[in-house]
Amino acid sequence: MTSQEFKDAILIKSPRFALLHEPLFKALANKGKTKGQFSQFGPQYELYIYAFYIGLHINSRRSLPDRDRTTDFVKMNMWKRGQIINFILFTVFSRSEEIGFDWAELEHMDEKSLEEVIRNIIVFIEEYANGGLFFLKEKYDNDELSNSQYLFMDLLEEVVKKDNNF
């Protein structure tokens, strides 16, 4: 498998998220024409990416609930920000030991092993995004979010300042 084929095999996957986060997506991401009480992300995948990075920074990797309490997110190759996808993959690949693969061995893996690595990558993204979504949900539920055009930058700055491991 070439590196492009490996990347493509990852990007056709649909990460999942817990259904309990749907109200958070409604409040913080603009899925359609509705406006929320907060400055909002545009597409929902932008909030998902943001939650992923928050989860990484606060070291909150949380397993998803059972499959019947989750839903598929948009396939990663449909996220329209090509450069941010590359940045996400760069971040993921820099954590290869946490995901459980060795770059030197990747080239020689059989198809079944490659599928397992790809699944582990998606789970890695899902679990850190889930951790970030719980962080945002707690802030939202405790009325700790302000309606500022810098809301998301302020929150990211807050978690980066607390982060000593990234």
Side-chain angles (χ1 to χ4, degrees):
M1 176 177 283
T2 67
S3 60
Q4 185 60 50
E5 290 169 333
F6 183 61
K7 178 182 176 183
D8 291 344
I10 295 167
L11 296 182
I12 62 168
K13 300 297 183 184
S14 298
R16 301 184 66 74
F17 72 94
L19 291 171
L20 68 95
H21 294 307
E22 284 185 325
L24 188 66
F25 276 98
K26 186 175 182 178
L28 300 179
N30 188 351
K31 184 176 181 180
K33 299 176 179 101
T34 61
K35 287 205 171 239
Q37 72 186 78
F38 298 101
S39 298
Q40 295 182 319
F41 282 100
Q44 291 184 339
Y45 69 84
E46 290 178 357
L47 178 59
Y48 193 83
I49 292 168
Y50 183 75
F52 168 71
Y53 279 104
I54 287 176
L56 277 173
H57 279 287
I58 63 174
N59 199 27
S60 179
R61 187 172 180 177
R62 295 183 68 150
S63 298
L64 291 177
D66 294 335
R67 192 158 182 86
D68 63 335
R69 295 184 3 222
T70 65
T71 188
D72 284 339
F73 200 67
V74 178
K75 288 182 181 182
M76 291 178 67
N77 64 3
M78 299 302 291
W79 300 358
K80 301 204 185 301
R81 309 277 193 242
Q83 296 303 327
I84 194 70
I85 297 290
N86 291 337
F87 187 69
I88 291 167
L89 291 177
F90 175 75
T91 302
V92 168
F93 296 155
S94 72
R95 300 277 192 104
S96 61
E97 72 286 343
E98 189 176 343
I99 296 166
F101 72 94
D102 182 323
W103 279 105
E105 296 173 4
L106 197 60
E107 184 178 351
H108 304 290
M109 285 183 181
D110 60 26
E111 192 170 323
K112 183 178 177 185
S113 298
L114 281 169
E115 276 299 317
E116 183 179 335
V117 167
I118 291 167
R119 179 67 197 133
N120 290 344
I121 288 170
I122 298 304
V123 168
F124 176 87
I125 293 169
E126 290 171 340
E127 290 180 349
Y128 276 112
N130 195 38
L133 288 167
F134 269 100
F135 172 85
L136 291 170
K137 182 180 181 325
E138 183 177 323
K139 293 273 190 191
Y140 180 74
D141 290 347
N142 292 325
D143 202 27
E144 295 175 6
L145 299 177
S146 63
N147 187 12
S148 160
Q149 64 185 14
Y150 302 110
L151 168 66
F152 303 109
M153 295 307 298
D154 292 343
L155 284 172
L156 191 55
E157 182 179 21
E158 174 186 331
V159 298
V160 169
K161 282 182 180 177
K162 291 180 182 177
D163 179 23
N164 296 321
N165 301 319
F166 192 68

